[in-house]
């Protein structure tokens, strides 16, 4: 698949999904998107609180997979990286549940995503001044389990899509808080009763 053919709303290639299962590479792509789709390694390092020289290995892997592109305007200029693909839509994955390689890659991706979310939550929890209640709340972890009608499921997906749109807007003077949001929406099916050896 060429750079121009990548659709950030439908990445289905198992190798690319596995590459993004790494929490640091996931963070690099998300942070690159949050910075408007293009940034230098130094700018990315400042946002991630990591040394820039530790990012180049992961940036090279993302370039090799045609997920990002390295830019160099003139010899000696600072290397910049930009998201490949058309449009400004955030990176999304296409779930092919009948494809074993795709499913295995998605298992790894979900694990990495939840690791990053855990780190973000714990860092914010330990940061003085984090707002934890009211309309400007910055920190929230919750899990709900309940019954939805078809109409309510459509509404839930619309609200989640709207949240993704809000968080995909470019940075502006008013839009000055970098936030992280991770969610999992999944159907729950009854599992067989597990019996202990004593029964």
């Amino acid at each position: 698949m060429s750079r121009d053919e990548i659709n950030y709303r439908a990445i289905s290639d198992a190798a690319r999904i596995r590459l993004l299962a790494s929490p640091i590479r996931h963070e690099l792509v998300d942070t690159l998107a949050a910075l408007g789709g293009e940034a230098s390694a130094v700018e990315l390092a400042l946002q991630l609180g990591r040394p820039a020289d530790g990012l180049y290995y992961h940036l090279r892997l993302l370039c090799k997979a045609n997920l990002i592109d390295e830019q160099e305007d003139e010899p000696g200029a600072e290397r910049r990286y930009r998201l490949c693909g058309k449009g400004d839509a955030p990176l999304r994955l296409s779930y092919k549940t009948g494809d074993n390689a795709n499913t295995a890659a998605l298992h790894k991706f979900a694990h990495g995503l939840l690791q990053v979310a855990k780190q973000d939550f714990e860092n914010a929890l330990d940061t003085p001044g984090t707002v934890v209640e009211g309309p400007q709340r910055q920190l929230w972890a919750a899990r709900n389990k309940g019954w939805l009608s078809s109409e309510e499921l459509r509404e839930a997906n619309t609200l989640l899509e709207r949240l993704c749109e809000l968080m995909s807007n470019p940075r502006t003077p008013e839009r000055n808080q970098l936030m992280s949001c991770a969610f999992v929406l999944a159907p729950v099916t009854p599992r067989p009763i597990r019996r202990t050896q004593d029964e």
Side-chain angles (χ1 to χ4, degrees), residues 131-151:
V131 180
V132 296
E133 59 186 357
Q136 292 295 313
R137 184 176 187 167
Q138 298 170 312
L139 187 64
W140 195 343
R143 179 177 186 265
N144 294 299
K145 185 176 183 178
W147 302 95
L148 295 178
S149 68
S150 292
E151 184 177 324

Side-chain angles (χ1 to χ4, degrees), residues 126-191:
D126 295 336
T127 301
T130 299
V131 180
V132 296
E133 59 186 357
Q136 292 295 313
R137 184 176 187 167
Q138 298 170 312
L139 187 64
W140 195 343
R143 179 177 186 265
N144 294 299
K145 185 176 183 178
W147 302 95
L148 295 178
S149 68
S150 292
E151 184 177 324
E152 290 166 334
L153 182 58
R154 275 194 299 274
E155 182 182 355
N157 276 290
T158 299
L159 292 170
L160 291 172
E161 205 49 68
R162 175 62 180 139
L163 178 60
C164 289
E165 287 173 13
L166 282 173
M167 297 195 71
S168 297
N169 288 322
R171 185 178 187 176
T172 65
E174 298 80 27
R175 203 176 285 120
N176 58 6
Q177 292 186 64
L178 185 59
M179 302 291 291
S180 166
C181 180
F183 61 84
V184 173
L185 178 68
V188 179
T189 53
R191 288 179 258 181

